[in-house]
Structures are given as structure tokens and as C-alpha cells.
């Protein structure tokens, strides 16, 4: 949690710096945050449609249909949405009560992909997904290699199989580094 808070610029390190491209992120923390999509384990959804939960903060009248369709496809929501009587306009309910945990996580992943941030931070973001859906979404993240930076925090090693660098942290100390 502390590492994520540092990466998001929510906490400033007591010593040292967080430097990206030779620039301390705290020189322009808002600019830094605008590059990041954060997908936590506990998803925040508004009591509105699936569409508005994905385009969160975007004007629905001018939202990019192409971005929306791509995000829905990449997050493996296409079939689920097509089976709903109101499709994208279906209401998720308060805190997403009308969706399963996996469906809520996929909506959050679609939101991150829709907004096309340069950096995706996934904090146990696939933990509520069944194994086959996790595999499909992990494969989608594989396709982002070279296009986006994906930082994946997970306890299940299967989630990390497409990562090219894996760091193990125990008691606040990096204990192992694997370059794949």
C-alpha cells in the first residue's frame, strides 16, 4: 500500500526521490497523476450506467465510441454487456451492487483503458476474477507491452507471468528481482 501511495504521488518519500525520465514526480505531481490509471482491488463505482462508470469524467455526448468499444473488448465485457436488456445503459446500482466482483473489476479495467493513460497500476486488480477471465485479461495486458507501462501488484504469481520484471517485497525490503 505504501509503495502504491508513493507511486501515485499521494505520499512523498521521507528520503530520496521518485524520478521518471530524470524528473522528480513532485515537480509536477498533478501532471504525473494525469498519466496514471489506478485499478485497486476495491473498486469505486457510481450509481449510474455501465457506460458512465467507464467514461467517468468524460462528457457522454462527446465520448470516443472507438475508445469505449476498445476498452470494453480489452476488459472482456463485450458478451456480458450484450446480454443485458439495456446494454451499456444498464445501471450498476449503488457501489456496483448489480454486478459480481469480477464484473466490477472488469468495469474498472475498462475505465482505465478508456482514458488511455500511459501508466496502469493494478493493485490486486484481477483477484476477484475467475482463472479463465484472469488469463484473458492478462493476455490483453501482454498486448500493451511497448505501448504502456503496467505495474502489477499481486499475490498470485499467475497474474505476473507476462511481466518482464518481477520484484518481491517482504517487510518493506526488496528480497528478489527477476528479469524475464
Amino acid at each position: 500500500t505504501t509503495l502504491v501511495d508513493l507511486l501515485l504521488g499521494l505520499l512523498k518519500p521521507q528520503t530520496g526521490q521518485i524520478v521518471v525520465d530524470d524528473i522528480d514526480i513532485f515537480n509536477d505531481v498533478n501532471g504525473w497523476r494525469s498519466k496514471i490509471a489506478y485499478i485497486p482491488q476495491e473498486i469505486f463505482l457510481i450509481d449510474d450506467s455501465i457506460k458512465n462508470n467507464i467514461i467517468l469524467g468524460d462528457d457522454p455526448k462527446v465520448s470516443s465510441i472507438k475508445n469505449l468499444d476498445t476498452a470494453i473488448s480489452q476488459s472482456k465485457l463485450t458478451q456480458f454487456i450484450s446480454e443485458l436488456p439495456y446494454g451499456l445503459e444498464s445501471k450498476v446500482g449503488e457501489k456496483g451492487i448489480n454486478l459480481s466482483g469480477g464484473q466490477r473489476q472488469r468495469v474498472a479495467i475498462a475505465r482505465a483503458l478508456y482514458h488511455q493513460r500511459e501508466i496502469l497500476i493494478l493493485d490486486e486488480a484481477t483477484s476477484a476474477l475467475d482463472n479463465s477471465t484472469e488469463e484473458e485479461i492478462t493476455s490483453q495486458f501482454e498486448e500493451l507491452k511497448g505501448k504502456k507501462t503496467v505495474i502489477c501488484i499481486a499475490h498470485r504469481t499467475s497474474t505476473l507471468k507476462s511481466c518482464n520484471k518481477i520484484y518481491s517485497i517482504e517487510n518493506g525490503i526488496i528480497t528478489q528481482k527477476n528479469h524475464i
Side-chain angles (χ1 to χ4, degrees):
T1 303
T2 304
L3 177 62
V4 170
D5 288 346
L6 288 164
L7 291 172
L8 294 172
L10 300 174
L11 287 178
K12 197 168 185 173
Q14 293 176 354
T15 60
Q17 297 176 291
I18 301 173
V19 177
V20 176
D21 296 331
D22 296 323
I23 300 170
D24 186 321
I25 67 167
F26 289 97
N27 289 348
D28 180 12
V29 74
N30 290 330
W32 169 248
R33 288 181 187 146
S34 72
K35 296 177 181 188
I36 298 173
Y38 173 57
I39 308 167
Q41 183 174 5
E42 294 296 320
I43 305 304
F44 170 77
L45 297 177
I46 57 175
D47 188 6
D48 205 330
S49 68
I50 291 172
K51 177 182 178 181
N52 286 339
N53 272 283
I54 293 171
I55 68 170
L56 193 63
D58 210 357
D59 183 349
K61 294 181 181 113
V62 296
S63 66
S64 169
I65 299 302
K66 182 180 180 205
N67 285 358
L68 184 60
D69 289 343
T70 300
I72 288 168
S73 173
Q74 289 178 330
S75 60
K76 301 302 178 192
L77 281 170
T78 306
Q79 182 178 344
F80 168 69
I81 291 171
S82 71
E83 293 171 354
L84 295 170
Y86 299 105
L88 272 173
E89 297 305 323
S90 298
K91 303 294 183 195
V92 303
E94 187 175 340
K95 296 182 182 177
I97 192 76
N98 297 335
L99 304 177
S100 71
Q103 291 162 344
R104 285 192 295 269
Q105 282 187 306
R106 284 185 273 164
V107 169
I109 291 168
R111 178 189 300 158
L113 295 170
Y114 170 81
H115 287 283
Q116 299 186 341
R117 307 298 171 128
E118 295 174 40
I119 302 166
L120 301 177
I121 298 177
L122 310 163
D123 189 359
E124 293 287 340
T126 60
S127 63
L129 302 177
D130 61 73
N131 289 339
S132 66
T133 305
E134 179 190 33
E135 172 72 31
E136 290 175 22
I137 289 178
T138 302
S139 295
Q140 289 297 330
F141 287 128
E142 178 80 22
E143 292 178 21
L144 297 176
K145 277 189 174 180
K147 299 173 190 166
K148 296 190 183 300
T149 299
V150 179
I151 299 169
C152 185
I153 299 162
H155 290 95
R156 290 193 294 199
T157 55
S158 60
T159 305
L160 305 174
K161 69 179 185 177
S162 65
C163 296
N164 56 357
K165 293 181 184 176
I166 300 173
Y167 298 89
S168 296
I169 300 175
E170 294 178 25
N171 300 320
I173 298 169
I174 296 175
T175 58
Q176 183 177 358
K177 299 177 189 177
N178 297 322
H179 298 278
I180 300 171

